[in-house]
Amino acid sequence: GAALVAFAGPGTPATRYVLIALTAFAMGLRNANVRKLGVPDLTATTVLTTTLTGLVSESRLGDGTSPRSPRRAAAVAALFAGAALGAWLIRDHSPGVPLLVAAAMSGVLATITSGRE
């Protein structure tokens, strides 16, 4: 929906506010779903600091006790890669392109992981 809005009215102040509202709503839904599913170390992008802290404190530099370090490292790497890709797309294209890419990737990942615990 946000991609359609971005393509329909590129560059207008009203479009920016609608995009902010739609993406905030989507982020809230994502946070609620991840919390409900109870996936460890992926509670939300809003707690990236907690993931980084756990990764470092339980690594070989810390006490070295966490078997979940690979998952935490993968979460941080995925967030960084997504941010870099999004920044590149928004700089060189309209805001609709990264929103469309995000929607497509979300759909693909949801399809791949559906039915898993």
Side-chain angles (χ1 to χ4, degrees):
L4 292 175
V5 169
F7 283 121
T12 67
T15 299
R16 288 187 187 111
Y17 288 117
V18 171
L19 290 176
I20 289 168
L22 288 173
T23 54
F25 179 71
M27 288 169 50
L29 284 176
R30 180 202 176 276
N31 287 350
N33 283 322
V34 171
R35 280 183 65 128
K36 185 171 177 121
L37 293 172
V39 179
D41 305 317
L42 294 177
T43 52
T45 55
T46 55
V47 293
L48 177 60
T49 303
T50 304
T51 302
L52 286 170
T53 302
L55 181 64
V56 173
S57 68
E58 296 174 356
S59 70
R60 282 187 240 167
L61 296 173
D63 64 7
T65 61
S66 179
R68 296 189 309 222
S69 290
R71 182 188 297 180
R72 288 179 176 162
V76 172
L79 287 167
F80 178 79
L85 177 62
W88 174 72
L89 287 172
I90 204 128
R91 186 190 68 194
D92 293 344
H93 303 286
S94 73
V97 174
L99 290 166
L100 193 59
V101 169
M105 289 183 71
S106 295
V108 168
L109 291 172
T111 302
I112 290 171
T113 59
S114 65
R116 292 186 185 177
E117 288 190 45

